[in-house]
Amino acid sequence: MLDGKCVFCGIIRGDIPAAKVYEDEKMCVFKDLEPKAAVHLLAVPKTHFKLLEEMGDSEREILAYMLGKIPQIARQNGCDNGYRLIINQGDDAGQTVFHLHIHILGGEKLGEM
Ligand code: 5GP
Ligand code: ZN
């Protein structure tokens, strides 16, 4: 379920320190170490998937679960006027941590995409 070499698995286990803002049995949300916006959170499933394409039909249910939780978590952490979700996939997107994660960006007016 968790990967011994993965930094986000280390955060989930509690071996690597992180500013966690939400946690339940399925997911964890913590502050990005190098924030790219006034609020920059990372939401991760508590199962190690590198990429969306690795997930089976039943495993993908975690994504709907996370998307259901994110609005309240975002609001409680300073995104009360909107926010942006980003999932980087692979090298062209600049993915650096290969444990599936949803970036939550907000707390200020974000640049246009
Ligand atoms: P990616 O580029 O893979 O979509 O995003 C990875 C994100 O993880 C980056 O925004 C980076 O700042 C963040 N990050 C990398 N290592 C750590 C860490 O050890 N702790 C925390 N809190 N964030 C990290
Ligand atoms: Zn992992």
Side-chain angles (χ1 to χ4, degrees), residues 60-86:
R60 267 194 290 276
E61 288 173 12
I62 184 63
L63 297 173
Y65 179 84
M66 291 171 71
L67 290 175
K69 292 284 181 187
I70 281 172
Q72 190 182 3
I73 296 166
R75 184 172 289 275
Q76 286 172 343
N77 285 278
C79 299
D80 43 12
N81 196 37
Y83 53 91
R84 180 175 292 156
L85 303 182
I86 295 176

Side-chain angles (χ1 to χ4, degrees), residues 3 6 8-9 48 99:
D3 180 320
C6 169
F8 288 174
C9 285
H48 182 87
H99 178 128

Side-chain angles (χ1 to χ4, degrees), residues 3-4 15 26 34-35 47 56 66 68-69 78 102-103:
D3 180 320
D15 295 345
K26 294 180 180 169
E34 295 177 39
T47 301
M66 291 171 71
K69 292 284 181 187
I102 304 174
H103 293 262

Side-chain angles (χ1 to χ4, degrees), residues 1-3 5-10 12 45 47-49 97-100:
M1 295 282 267
L2 296 177
D3 180 320
K5 293 178 192 151
C6 169
V7 60
F8 288 174
C9 285
I12 290 164
T47 301
H48 182 87
F49 300 105
V97 178
F98 283 80
H99 178 128
L100 188 78

Side-chain angles (χ1 to χ4, degrees), residues 90-106:
D91 291 339
D92 278 3
Q95 186 176 1
T96 56
V97 178
F98 283 80
H99 178 128
L100 188 78
H101 51 281
I102 304 174
H103 293 262
I104 304 168
L105 298 153

